[in-house]
């Protein structure tokens, strides 16, 4: 919908926030629902540090970040933000910013050091998360807890390849989840099983740029393994949803679901029918891969079956029944979204281990037009209209209330704290993406319940180490001093002023 056709009146429009040279998109600060939740998000390995403190076991990231030659820019998260030892301060910081929600993940190997269903529990690890949850609640901040944000216990990888063995992984993950529900579920009312199954499958088990670094070069079976990993995630998710609903939800009354990431794709050449198809197909291969079985309770998308053939595992009859049964219990669609890309159809035949649907992704289209201004990461472009279209795509396909569980960007030159605090680019990006949500809600009828910015604070950005900084709070990794950037105050103020009851 064009801005002219907008339902927002002139008085809703607070014109042009933080103009950036060469970027002509105005931020309008459109209204949001009165009960819309604003939150911040992090992940255990990225912020906790304390890699072997108090009995924590090794995760695949502790191993991967210490490989020689380094796969992570020579950096590891042994200390990182040292959140494990600065947690009370970090909770106070969030309280000072007025956040409603804190999304964090539990480190599996911190509470079950060896990870397996018969392995001992580490009570000191449990105590840390209990303390965190209690402090959040004391500040009226809702904990939203991710069980798995990429840091599998090293011991289960050594034993059976973790995600590569569906039955073993599922049994160990069920025990881990049951432990979390029984110890934390009296206070945690929103659970996420897995963060970004696409990234776990493709980046960790095909490209090899994330732990455990399974990849083409290592002579593994990249034709089938990423799809096996995805299969394991879907079935483990469904099994844990069933367990939560049967054993915990009646007394704990919480919600559970999954977090999926995905770009929106525009056709490389809008006049080309094959590129239009490629853009749609790319989203089906990225998002439908997981969301169809999880939210619709069906098989993988038909396009994927036809294209991947025997490379894609089958769901057995009892597994199909499990998916059908559990689909309606997924209470929200957790969406991690950062940017939009162009999709260009490639000539057949695809590579043997192609995972894209034979699509090339670019940031520039056939007319040489960029999808949007680049952030400090080349792929992460400011493209709020793609975000709005993705919200519509997901809503129309799944009809599940959406929570934005991650969104944000890194800016240029943020190592230096003085430059970092004046983060106009980020404020602009966040403002535009929030406006896209307002439009999706009020003009398109999409149900969006909340927005969690990535990230609360600068942290260890996986294979990119401490290079890109996504925080709304700057962290000096030498002194561990936290300094809020202006975007933190921007979000505090904008949520205060723009949330109101729909008129
Ligand atoms: C999220 O992953 C993670 O959940 C979070 O831990 C992380 O810190 C945050 O985002 C910021 O990266 O598509 O090939 O051009 C996002 C996963 C990784 C998907 C980078 C897009 C871009 C490379 N993203 N990827 S590509």
């Amino acid at each position: 919908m064009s801005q002219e056709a907008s339902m927002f009146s002139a008085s809703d429009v607070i014109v042009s926030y933080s103009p950036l040279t060469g970027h002509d998109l105005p931020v309008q600060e459109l209204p949001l629902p009165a009960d819309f939740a604003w939150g911040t998000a992090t992940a255990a390995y990225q912020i906790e540090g304390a890699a072997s403190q108090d009995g924590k076991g090794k995760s695949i990231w502790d191993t991967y970040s210490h490989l020689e030659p380094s796969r992570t820019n020579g950096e590891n998260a042994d200390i990182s933000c040292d959140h494990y030892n600065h947690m009370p301060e970090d909770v106070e910081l969030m309280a000072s910013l007025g956040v409603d929600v804190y999304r964090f993940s539990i480190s599996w190997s911190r509470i079950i050091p060896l990870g397996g269903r018969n392995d001992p529990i580490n009570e000191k690890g449990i105590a840390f998360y209990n303390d965190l949850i209690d402090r959040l609640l004391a500040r009226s901040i809702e904990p939203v807890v991710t069980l798995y944000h990429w840091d599998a216990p090293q011991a289960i990888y050594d034993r059976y390849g973790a995600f590569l063995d569906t039955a073993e992984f599922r049994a160990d993950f069920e025990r881990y989840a049951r432990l979390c529900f029984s110890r934390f579920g009296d206070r945690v009312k929103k659970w996420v099983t897995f963060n970004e199954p696409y990234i776990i499958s493709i980046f960790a088990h095909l490209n090899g740029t994330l732990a455990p670094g399974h990849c083409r070069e290592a002579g593994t079976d990249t034709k089938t393994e990423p799809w096996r990993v995805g299969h394991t995630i879907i079935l483990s998710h469904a099994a844990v949803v069933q367990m939560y609903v049967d054993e915990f939800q009646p007394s704990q009354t919480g919600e559970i679901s999954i977090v999926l990431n995905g770009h929106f794709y525009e056709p490389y050449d809008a006049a080309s029918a094959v590129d239009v198809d490629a853009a749609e197909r790319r989203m089906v291969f990225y998002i439908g891969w997981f969301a169809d079985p999880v939210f619709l309770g069906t098989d993988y998308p038909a396009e994927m079956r036809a294209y991947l053939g025997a490379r894609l595992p089958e769901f057995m009859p009892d597994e199909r029944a499990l998916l059908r049964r559990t689909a309606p219990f997924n209470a929200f669609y957790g969406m991690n979204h950062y940017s939009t890309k162009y999709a260009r159809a490639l000539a057949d035949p695809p590579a043997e281990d192609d995972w894209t649907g034979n699509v090339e992704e670019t940031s520039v289209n056939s007319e040489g037009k960029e999808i949007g201004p680049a952030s400090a990461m080349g792929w992460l472009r400011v493209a709020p209209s793609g975000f709005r279209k993705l919200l519509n795509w997901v809503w129309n396909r799944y009809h599940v209330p959406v929570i934005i569980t991650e969104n944000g960007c890194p800016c240029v030159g943020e190592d230096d704290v003085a430059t970092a605090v004046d983060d106009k680019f980020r404020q602009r990006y966040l403002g535009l993406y929030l406006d896209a949500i307002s439009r999706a809600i009020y003009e398109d009828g999409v149900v969006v319940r909340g927005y969690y910015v990535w990230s609360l604070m600068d942290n260890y950005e996986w294979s990119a180490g401490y290079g890109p900084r996504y925080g709304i709070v700057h962290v000096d990794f030498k002194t561990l001093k936290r300094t809020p950037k202006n975007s933190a105050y921007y979000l505090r103020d904008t949520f205060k002023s723009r949330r109101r009851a729909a008129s």
Side-chain angles (χ1 to χ4, degrees):
M1 187 176 289
S2 72
Q3 261 167 236
E4 289 71 32
S6 165
M7 62 163 275
F8 298 107
S9 65
S11 64
D12 286 328
V13 177
I14 303 161
V15 182
S16 258
Y17 191 85
S18 317
L20 286 186
T21 326
H23 303 172
D24 54 6
L25 297 167
V27 173
Q28 295 181 290
E29 307 211 329
L30 301 171
L32 287 165
D35 60 353
F36 191 86
W38 112 258
T40 60
T42 62
Y45 185 70
Q46 292 180 274
I47 65 161
E48 282 181 3
S52 52
Q53 199 174 323
D54 290 345
K56 175 180 166 294
K58 267 196 185 349
S59 80
I60 55 175
W61 267 97
D62 291 304
T63 305
Y64 188 78
S65 64
H66 283 273
L67 291 178
E68 293 287 349
S70 178
R71 312 271 290 267
T72 54
N73 194 35
E75 290 160 331
N76 60 62
D78 289 0
I79 300 173
S80 187
C81 308
D82 199 27
H83 170 72
Y84 187 78
N85 296 301
H86 288 67
M87 182 271 285
E89 172 191 344
D90 292 336
V91 172
E92 290 312 305
L93 183 57
M94 280 188 272
S96 77
L97 297 174
V99 310
D100 305 311
V101 166
Y102 177 44
R103 172 181 177 235
F104 63 93
S105 78
I106 293 176
S107 160
W108 183 346
S109 64
R110 199 179 281 292
I111 68 169
I112 309 174
L114 297 174
R117 53 202 177 275
N118 300 312
D119 293 323
I121 293 166
N122 178 27
E123 292 296 340
K124 286 192 173 157
I126 302 253
F128 169 74
Y129 295 109
N130 270 330
D131 190 18
L132 167 59
I133 292 164
D134 288 342
R135 285 173 191 271
L136 290 169
L137 293 175
R139 289 308 207 163
S140 303
I141 298 171
E142 179 192 2
V144 173
V145 178
T146 306
L147 294 175
Y148 188 81
H149 200 126
W150 305 359
D151 48 354
Q154 180 65 35
I156 69 166
Y157 187 68
D158 294 341
R159 284 175 193 158
Y160 55 82
F163 292 96
L164 295 167
D165 186 324
T166 302
E168 287 288 332
F169 183 91
R170 175 174 158 172
D172 285 346
F173 187 70
E174 284 187 78
R175 189 281 184 119
Y176 164 57
R178 181 176 278 110
L179 178 65
C180 292
F181 298 149
S182 54
R183 297 300 190 90
F184 310 126
D186 55 336
R187 289 153 294 151
V188 172
K189 301 301 166 194
K190 268 197 197 70
W191 294 97
V192 169
T193 54
F194 292 96
N195 181 70
E196 302 189 346
Y198 179 94
I199 301 297
I200 300 169
S201 306
I202 299 300
F203 285 74
H205 293 86
L206 193 158
N207 302 338
T209 52
L210 297 174
H214 235 68
C215 64
R216 284 174 162 171
E217 292 74 30
T220 56
D221 184 4
T222 53
K223 285 200 299 297
T224 60
E225 282 171 350
W227 311 100
R228 165 58 51 191
V229 169
H231 205 68
T232 300
I233 295 171
I234 291 165
L235 289 171
S236 302
H237 166 79
V240 163
V241 168
Q242 183 76 70
M243 176 211 301
Y244 185 70
V245 166
D246 289 346
E247 298 175 33
F248 297 95
Q249 204 172 43
S251 59
Q252 297 184 350
T253 69
E255 298 181 336
I256 188 163
S257 194
I258 195 165
V259 161
L260 305 180
N261 70 306
H263 310 292
F264 185 75
Y265 290 89
E266 298 278 8
Y268 175 74
D269 176 354
S272 149
V274 290
D275 285 354
V276 171
D277 282 354
E280 175 69 15
R281 185 164 71 250
R282 190 71 196 92
M283 288 192 287
V284 169
F285 272 64
Y286 208 123
I287 294 170
W289 174 9
F290 301 99
D292 281 19
V294 167
F295 292 103
L296 303 179
T298 57
D299 189 19
Y300 295 111
E303 300 96 301
M304 292 183 69
R305 276 261 167 246
Y307 183 92
L308 294 163
R311 291 172 58 194
L312 202 55
E314 295 287 341
F315 292 112
M316 297 298 114
D318 58 320
E319 296 169 342
R320 283 173 189 255
L322 175 70
L323 293 176
R324 266 198 310 277
R325 232 178 15 250
T326 52
F329 294 122
N330 290 283
F332 54 90
Y333 181 110
M335 178 189 287
N336 288 359
H337 177 77
Y338 291 87
S339 198
T340 293
K341 294 187 179 200
Y342 292 113
R344 182 184 200 176
L346 290 171
D348 283 330
E352 266 203 326
D353 65 354
D354 175 65
W355 67 96
T356 63
N358 214 21
V359 176
E360 183 189 13
E361 308 181 358
T362 64
S363 294
V364 179
N365 73 4
S366 60
E367 293 167 354
K369 183 173 173 266
E370 294 189 42
I371 196 79
S375 69
M377 298 293 258
W379 64 273
L380 203 166
R381 305 285 178 139
V382 187
S385 69
F387 181 34
R388 178 177 174 185
K389 289 179 193 173
L390 181 66
L391 286 165
N392 277 273
W393 192 89
V394 164
W395 176 251
N396 291 331
R397 194 170 171 111
Y398 303 111
H399 291 287
V400 182
V402 177
I403 298 176
I404 306 308
T405 40
E406 287 182 25
N407 174 247
C409 69
C411 306
V412 175
E414 290 195 290
D415 283 349
D416 172 46
V417 66
T419 308
V421 295
D422 187 22
D423 59 347
K424 291 196 179 67
F425 186 95
R426 178 178 290 104
Q427 292 167 61
R428 191 69 179 280
Y429 172 96
L430 299 174
L432 290 168
Y433 275 63
L434 287 172
D435 280 348
I437 294 174
S438 296
R439 291 185 187 284
I441 293 173
Y442 291 110
E443 297 182 1
D444 308 335
V446 180
V447 178
V448 189
R449 285 171 30 183
Y451 176 91
Y452 312 160
V453 70
W454 185 270
S455 179
L456 168 63
M457 56 188 160
D458 295 339
N459 58 53
Y460 182 74
E461 179 54 23
W462 308 111
S463 53
Y466 296 101
R469 291 170 173 267
Y470 283 79
I472 57 169
V473 173
H474 178 272
V475 176
D476 178 326
F477 291 106
K478 290 202 182 72
T479 62
L480 299 177
K481 183 171 167 22
R482 280 88 161 126
T483 309
K485 303 176 189 176
N486 288 337
S487 58
Y489 301 123
Y490 170 66
L491 288 177
R492 177 193 65 188
D493 295 345
T494 204
F495 280 107
K496 203 179 281 173
S497 66
R498 77 166 73 179
R499 286 186 289 194
R500 52 181 185 258
S503 46

